[in-house]
C-alpha cells in the first residue's frame, strides 16, 4: 500500500481516511481511573467512515488499543496485553495517571481503513509521542472518507 505524509496529513489509497489534526498543543486532559481496580478502563471502538473528530483521551486511547488488536491479529484481550505496542501505551498511561495501567473490557470493534500500523510508526508519522497523542487536546483524530 502506498502512503504519503503531506503537511502532517497521513494518506493511503483506502476509501476511508484517518488523520491527525495538530493545533495549539500543551492543553492536556486526563483519563478516569477506576477506584476499585486502580486502572483506566477502555475497550475497542468503532472507527469507520465518519465524519468524526476526537480530541478526548478516552477515544484516542480506544483508537490505539483497537489498532493494536487489529494490527497484531489479536483475538483476545490477553493477546493484546502481551504485545509490545500495548505495553508501551500501558507504561505511558500508568505513569501519567499514577495508576496500575489499562484494563480492556471488550474487543468488539474495528478500524475501517488500510493504514493500521504499529504504534511507533504512527507516532513517527505524526511527530508526536504516545503521551501527546492520548492526552493533548491540540491533537485531534479525524475520521473521514472520500465520498
Amino acid at each position: 500500500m502506498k502512503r504519503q505524509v503531506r503537511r502532517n496529513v497521513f494518506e493511503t489509497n483506502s476509501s476511508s481516511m484517518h488523520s491527525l489534526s495538530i493545533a495549539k498543543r500543551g492543553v492536556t486532559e486526563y483519563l478516569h481511573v477506576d477506584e476499585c481496580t486502580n486502572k483506566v478502563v477502555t475497550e475497542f471502538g468503532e472507527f469507520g467512515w465518519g465524519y468524526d473528530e476526537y480530541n478526548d483521551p478516552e477515544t484516542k486511547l480506544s483508537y490505539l488499543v483497537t489498532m493494536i488488536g487489529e494490527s497484531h491479529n489479536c483475538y483476545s484481550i490477553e493477546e493484546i496485553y502481551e504485545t509490545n505496542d500495548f505495553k508501551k501505551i500501558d507504561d505511558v498511561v500508568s505513569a501519567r495517571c499514577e495508576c496500575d495501567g489499562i484494563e480492556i473490557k471488550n474487543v468488539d470493534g474495528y478500524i475501517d481503513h488500510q493504514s493500521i500500523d504499529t504504534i511507533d510508526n504512527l507516532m513517527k508519522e505524526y511527530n508526536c509521542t504516545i503521551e501527546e497523542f492520548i492526552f493533548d487536546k491540540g491533537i485531534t483524530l479525524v475520521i473521514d472518507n472520500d465520498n
Side-chain angles (χ1 to χ4, degrees), residues 13-134:
N13 60 353
S14 172
S15 60
S16 60
M17 173 193 76
H18 296 189
S19 62
L20 294 182
S21 170
I22 300 177
K24 182 179 177 185
R25 294 175 72 170
V27 179
T28 59
E29 291 283 322
Y30 297 94
L31 288 165
H32 172 74
V33 177
D34 182 90
E35 293 178 15
C36 296
T37 63
N38 197 38
K39 292 188 175 204
V40 170
V41 178
T42 193
E43 60 187 6
F44 272 31
E46 294 190 5
F47 301 98
W49 275 35
Y51 184 85
D52 293 298
E53 292 185 9
Y54 306 102
N55 67 354
D56 63 284
E58 293 84 8
T59 305
K60 292 190 287 185
L61 175 61
S62 174
Y63 185 85
L64 292 180
V65 169
T66 305
M67 187 179 78
I68 290 168
E70 291 197 9
S71 67
H72 292 282
N73 295 313
C74 297
Y75 299 102
S76 71
I77 294 169
E78 292 74 24
E79 288 178 305
I80 296 170
Y81 289 156
E82 294 302 316
T83 66
N84 287 332
D85 280 346
F86 178 81
K87 290 174 183 175
K88 290 175 186 178
I89 294 170
D90 194 57
D91 288 346
V92 168
V93 170
S94 297
R96 178 64 185 260
C97 298
E98 299 178 353
C99 68
D100 294 331
I102 301 168
E103 178 181 354
I104 302 171
K105 283 293 188 185
N106 78 52
V107 290
D108 184 26
Y110 69 97
I111 294 179
D112 180 34
H113 70 97
Q114 299 169 353
S115 60
I116 296 169
D117 208 343
T118 66
I119 297 300
D120 288 341
N121 287 344
L122 183 68
M123 297 308 125
K124 182 179 177 184
E125 287 173 19
Y126 289 112
N127 194 28
C128 66
T129 66
I130 294 168
E131 183 172 6
E132 290 168 334
F133 177 88
I134 296 171

